Amino acid sequence: MKAYQGMTGHGRDNIPYQNRQEMFEAFRQCANAFHKSNKLAMVLVQFPPWFDCTSQNVKYIVYVKQQLEEFPIAIEFRNQTWFQSDREEATIQFLRENGLIHTVCDEPQAGIGSVPFVPKVTNKKVLVRLHGRNVFGWRNSGAPNWREVRFLYDYTKEELEDLANKIKDLESNAEEVFVLFNNNSGHHAASNAKMFQEILNINFEGLAPKQLNFFEGEF
Protein backbone atom coordinates (compact mmCIF):
# COMPACT_ATOMS: atom_id res chain seq x y z
CA MET A 1 0.00 0.00 0.00
CA LYS A 2 1.48 3.31 -1.07
CA ALA A 3 1.60 6.22 1.35
CA TYR A 4 -0.51 9.26 0.52
CA GLN A 5 1.44 12.00 -1.28
CA GLY A 6 0.82 14.47 1.52
CA MET A 7 2.73 12.17 3.86
CA THR A 8 5.78 12.07 1.60
CA GLY A 9 5.98 15.72 0.60
CA HIS A 10 4.82 15.31 -2.99
CA GLY A 11 2.03 17.77 -2.25
CA ARG A 12 4.52 20.30 -0.85
CA ASP A 13 2.43 20.67 2.33
CA ASN A 14 -0.74 21.42 0.35
CA ILE A 15 -2.91 18.77 1.99
CA PRO A 16 -6.73 18.56 2.39
CA TYR A 17 -6.53 18.01 6.16
CA GLN A 18 -6.56 20.31 9.16
CA ASN A 19 -3.10 19.13 10.18
CA ARG A 20 -0.53 16.40 9.71
CA GLN A 21 -1.86 14.29 12.59
CA GLU A 22 -5.31 14.14 11.02
CA MET A 23 -3.77 13.08 7.70
CA PHE A 24 -1.80 10.22 9.25
CA GLU A 25 -4.82 9.08 11.26
CA ALA A 26 -6.93 8.87 8.09
CA PHE A 27 -4.25 6.77 6.43
CA ARG A 28 -3.88 4.48 9.45
CA GLN A 29 -7.60 3.74 9.44
CA CYS A 30 -7.45 2.75 5.78
CA ALA A 31 -4.29 0.66 6.16
CA ASN A 32 -5.66 -1.10 9.23
CA ALA A 33 -8.45 -2.65 7.18
CA PHE A 34 -5.84 -4.49 5.10
CA HIS A 35 -3.52 -5.13 8.04
CA LYS A 36 -6.21 -6.82 10.15
CA SER A 37 -7.09 -9.09 7.22
CA ASN A 38 -3.44 -10.06 6.78
CA LYS A 39 -3.44 -8.43 3.33
CA LEU A 40 -0.78 -5.79 3.96
CA ALA A 41 2.80 -6.75 3.13
CA MET A 42 4.09 -3.23 3.76
CA VAL A 43 3.43 0.48 3.38
CA LEU A 44 5.54 1.99 0.62
CA VAL A 45 6.75 5.47 1.54
CA GLN A 46 8.18 6.90 -1.69
CA PHE A 47 9.80 10.29 -1.28
CA PRO A 48 10.04 12.83 -4.13
CA PRO A 49 13.20 13.77 -6.07
CA TRP A 50 13.72 16.90 -3.95
CA PHE A 51 13.79 14.90 -0.69
CA ASP A 52 17.56 14.89 -0.26
CA CYS A 53 19.86 13.49 2.40
CA THR A 54 19.71 16.06 5.20
CA SER A 55 19.38 15.78 8.97
CA GLN A 56 15.92 17.35 8.74
CA ASN A 57 14.74 14.69 6.31
CA VAL A 58 16.29 11.91 8.37
CA LYS A 59 14.25 13.16 11.33
CA TYR A 60 11.12 13.20 9.18
CA ILE A 61 11.60 9.56 8.24
CA VAL A 62 11.78 8.74 11.95
CA TYR A 63 8.57 10.73 12.44
CA VAL A 64 6.84 8.72 9.68
CA LYS A 65 7.98 5.51 11.35
CA GLN A 66 6.48 6.66 14.65
CA GLN A 67 3.20 7.53 12.96
CA LEU A 68 2.99 4.15 11.20
CA GLU A 69 4.64 2.01 13.86
CA GLU A 70 2.07 -0.78 13.59
CA PHE A 71 2.91 -1.44 9.93
CA PRO A 72 6.00 -2.69 8.07
CA ILE A 73 7.40 0.36 6.24
CA ALA A 74 9.37 0.39 2.98
CA ILE A 75 11.34 3.52 2.16
CA GLU A 76 11.99 4.51 -1.45
CA PHE A 77 14.30 7.39 -2.27
CA ARG A 78 14.31 9.36 -5.52
CA ASN A 79 17.29 11.60 -4.71
CA GLN A 80 20.82 10.48 -5.48
CA THR A 81 22.38 12.09 -2.38
CA TRP A 82 21.19 9.19 -0.19
CA PHE A 83 23.48 6.83 -2.11
CA GLN A 84 26.51 8.95 -2.80
CA SER A 85 29.76 7.08 -2.10
CA ASP A 86 30.27 8.74 1.29
CA ARG A 87 26.64 8.26 2.41
CA GLU A 88 25.42 4.96 1.01
CA GLU A 89 26.53 2.79 3.93
CA ALA A 90 25.14 5.27 6.46
CA THR A 91 21.79 5.29 4.63
CA ILE A 92 21.60 1.50 4.63
CA GLN A 93 22.62 1.36 8.29
CA PHE A 94 19.99 3.96 9.21
CA LEU A 95 17.26 1.89 7.53
CA ARG A 96 18.53 -1.28 9.19
CA GLU A 97 18.70 0.22 12.69
CA ASN A 98 15.15 1.53 12.38
CA GLY A 99 13.72 -1.72 11.02
CA LEU A 100 12.78 -0.07 7.73
CA ILE A 101 12.53 -2.00 4.47
CA HIS A 102 14.90 -0.88 1.75
CA THR A 103 13.29 -0.38 -1.64
CA VAL A 104 15.79 -1.43 -4.29
CA CYS A 105 15.08 0.46 -7.51
CA ASP A 106 15.92 -0.17 -11.12
CA GLU A 107 15.37 3.13 -12.89
CA PRO A 108 17.01 5.43 -15.45
CA GLN A 109 20.24 7.01 -14.28
CA ALA A 110 19.20 10.56 -15.02
CA GLY A 111 20.99 12.76 -12.53
CA ILE A 112 20.16 13.88 -9.01
CA GLY A 113 16.49 12.84 -9.27
CA SER A 114 17.25 9.15 -9.67
CA VAL A 115 18.96 6.52 -7.54
CA PRO A 116 21.32 3.68 -8.47
CA PHE A 117 20.52 0.00 -8.11
CA VAL A 118 21.65 -0.78 -4.55
CA PRO A 119 20.96 -4.46 -3.80
CA LYS A 120 21.11 -4.34 -0.02
CA VAL A 121 18.72 -5.81 2.55
CA THR A 122 17.83 -3.95 5.75
CA ASN A 123 14.88 -6.00 6.99
CA LYS A 124 13.54 -9.54 6.71
CA LYS A 125 11.59 -8.18 3.75
CA VAL A 126 12.94 -6.35 0.72
CA LEU A 127 11.03 -4.53 -2.00
CA VAL A 128 12.29 -4.25 -5.58
CA ARG A 129 10.62 -1.74 -7.89
CA LEU A 130 11.39 -1.90 -11.60
CA HIS A 131 10.61 1.46 -13.18
CA GLY A 132 12.16 0.86 -16.59
CA ARG A 133 15.14 2.65 -18.09
CA ASN A 134 13.60 5.43 -20.14
CA VAL A 135 16.09 8.24 -19.49
CA PHE A 136 14.30 10.73 -21.75
CA GLY A 137 10.95 10.18 -20.07
CA TRP A 138 12.47 10.41 -16.59
CA ARG A 139 14.09 13.76 -17.32
CA ASN A 140 10.98 15.31 -18.84
CA SER A 141 8.59 14.95 -15.92
CA GLY A 142 7.29 18.50 -16.51
CA ALA A 143 5.99 17.72 -19.99
CA PRO A 144 2.16 17.63 -20.47
CA ASN A 145 2.21 13.89 -21.21
CA TRP A 146 4.93 12.95 -18.72
CA ARG A 147 2.87 10.17 -17.17
CA GLU A 148 2.58 8.54 -20.59
CA VAL A 149 6.31 8.48 -21.28
CA ARG A 150 8.11 8.32 -17.93
CA PHE A 151 7.52 4.61 -17.38
CA LEU A 152 7.39 3.68 -21.06
CA TYR A 153 9.88 0.85 -21.25
CA ASP A 154 9.95 -2.79 -22.28
CA TYR A 155 12.65 -4.84 -20.55
CA THR A 156 14.54 -7.26 -22.77
CA LYS A 157 14.94 -10.89 -21.77
CA GLU A 158 18.66 -10.28 -21.20
CA GLU A 159 17.92 -7.37 -18.86
CA LEU A 160 15.41 -9.46 -16.92
CA GLU A 161 17.87 -12.35 -16.64
CA ASP A 162 20.47 -9.99 -15.21
CA LEU A 163 17.94 -8.60 -12.72
CA ALA A 164 16.90 -12.15 -11.78
CA ASN A 165 20.46 -12.99 -10.79
CA LYS A 166 20.69 -9.87 -8.64
CA ILE A 167 17.37 -10.59 -6.98
CA LYS A 168 18.46 -14.16 -6.20
CA ASP A 169 21.32 -12.63 -4.23
CA LEU A 170 18.81 -10.49 -2.32
CA GLU A 171 16.75 -13.59 -1.59
CA SER A 172 19.69 -15.18 0.19
CA ASN A 173 19.65 -12.34 2.73
CA ALA A 174 15.90 -11.88 3.22
CA GLU A 175 12.89 -13.97 4.14
CA GLU A 176 10.66 -12.38 1.50
CA VAL A 177 11.39 -10.50 -1.71
CA PHE A 178 8.61 -8.48 -3.33
CA VAL A 179 9.08 -7.42 -6.97
CA LEU A 180 6.86 -4.76 -8.53
CA PHE A 181 7.00 -3.78 -12.19
CA ASN A 182 6.16 -0.10 -12.61
CA ASN A 183 6.98 0.21 -16.33
CA ASN A 184 3.28 0.47 -17.07
CA SER A 185 2.90 3.37 -19.52
CA GLY A 186 2.86 1.04 -22.52
CA HIS A 187 1.34 -1.99 -20.78
CA HIS A 188 4.72 -3.73 -20.59
CA ALA A 189 4.63 -4.40 -16.85
CA ALA A 190 2.40 -7.49 -16.99
CA SER A 191 4.20 -9.18 -19.88
CA ASN A 192 7.61 -8.43 -18.34
CA ALA A 193 6.43 -9.83 -15.01
CA LYS A 194 5.26 -13.05 -16.68
CA MET A 195 8.62 -13.40 -18.44
CA PHE A 196 10.41 -12.72 -15.17
CA GLN A 197 8.32 -15.38 -13.45
CA GLU A 198 9.35 -17.90 -16.11
CA ILE A 199 13.04 -16.95 -15.82
CA LEU A 200 12.90 -17.57 -12.08
CA ASN A 201 10.83 -20.73 -12.58
CA ILE A 202 8.21 -19.51 -10.11
CA ASN A 203 4.84 -21.26 -10.03
CA PHE A 204 1.97 -20.12 -7.85
CA GLU A 205 -0.90 -22.27 -6.66
CA GLY A 206 -4.36 -21.34 -5.49
CA LEU A 207 -4.54 -17.98 -7.25
CA ALA A 208 -7.91 -16.65 -8.38
CA PRO A 209 -8.37 -17.42 -12.12
CA LYS A 210 -10.54 -14.35 -12.58
CA GLN A 211 -7.76 -12.12 -11.32
CA LEU A 212 -5.13 -13.83 -13.46
CA ASN A 213 -7.27 -13.28 -16.58
CA PHE A 214 -6.47 -9.59 -16.35
CA PHE A 215 -2.97 -10.44 -17.58
CA GLU A 216 -3.89 -12.73 -20.45
CA GLY A 217 -4.35 -11.88 -24.11
CA GLU A 218 -3.45 -8.82 -26.12
CA PHE A 219 -3.05 -5.34 -24.65
Side-chain angles (χ1 to χ4, degrees):
M1 185 175 180
K2 198 171 185 180
Y4 171 61
Q5 64 177 3
M7 296 158 57
T8 57
H10 283 82
R12 296 187 185 272
D13 294 327
N14 182 22
I15 57 176
Y17 294 93
Q18 291 295 320
N19 51 56
R20 188 179 286 172
Q21 286 295 114
E22 183 180 295
M23 174 179 62
F24 273 95
E25 176 57 28
F27 183 84
R28 283 194 298 268
Q29 290 183 19
C30 182
N32 260 325
F34 295 94
H35 188 54
K36 290 178 179 178
S37 299
N38 198 29
K39 300 289 186 182
L40 183 69
M42 65 191 71
V43 173
L44 170 60
V45 182
Q46 177 205 303
F47 290 105
W50 54 87
F51 190 85
D52 56 355
C53 185
T54 64
S55 58
Q56 180 180 352
N57 287 338
V58 168
K59 290 177 182 177
Y60 184 72
I61 294 173
V62 174
Y63 170 78
V64 171
K65 178 197 171 186
Q66 292 170 343
Q67 293 298 310
L68 303 175
E69 60 182 355
E70 62 264 53
F71 311 119
I73 302 169
I75 300 294
E76 179 177 347
F77 295 113
R78 285 279 176 89
N79 187 287
Q80 206 175 77
T81 58
W82 295 94
F83 296 109
Q84 289 176 343
S85 58
D86 59 336
R87 293 179 177 176
E88 178 182 316
E89 191 52 45
T91 295
I92 295 300
Q93 189 60 27
F94 166 72
L95 296 176
R96 188 174 288 129
E97 289 175 353
N98 284 276
L100 298 167
I101 300 164
H102 177 215
T103 303
V104 179
C105 295
D106 184 71
E107 60 191 39
Q109 296 308 290
I112 196 70
S114 59
V115 297
F117 190 90
V118 180
K120 298 202 176 165
V121 177
T122 60
N123 186 282
K124 64 182 180 180
K125 299 179 180 181
V126 61
L127 174 63
V128 181
R129 294 193 79 201
L130 307 180
H131 297 297
R133 299 173 182 179
N134 186 341
V135 176
F136 173 81
W138 202 267
R139 285 178 173 164
N140 289 271
S141 59
N145 65 335
W146 71 272
R147 290 186 184 278
E148 297 175 18
V149 299
R150 186 166 200 182
F151 303 109
L152 183 59
Y153 192 80
D154 188 9
Y155 282 98
T156 66
K157 184 177 182 180
E158 291 72 23
E159 288 172 333
L160 291 176
E161 287 174 339
D162 178 61
L163 285 167
N165 289 329
K166 292 174 180 176
I167 288 171
K168 285 178 183 176
D169 289 338
L170 287 172
E171 187 180 23
S172 65
N173 293 299
E175 292 181 13
E176 293 182 284
V177 180
F178 297 81
V179 181
L180 298 179
F181 282 81
N182 194 39
N183 55 325
N184 49 24
S185 296
H187 304 293
H188 296 117
S191 58
N192 281 173
K194 290 294 291 184
M195 185 184 296
F196 196 64
Q197 180 183 337
E198 292 170 3
I199 290 170
L200 289 171
N201 195 28
I202 296 174
N203 296 295
F204 297 103
E205 296 181 358
L207 300 180
K210 188 172 182 180
Q211 183 178 4
L212 291 178
N213 288 342
F214 288 138
F215 306 107
E216 300 295 337
E218 298 294 328
F219 289 97

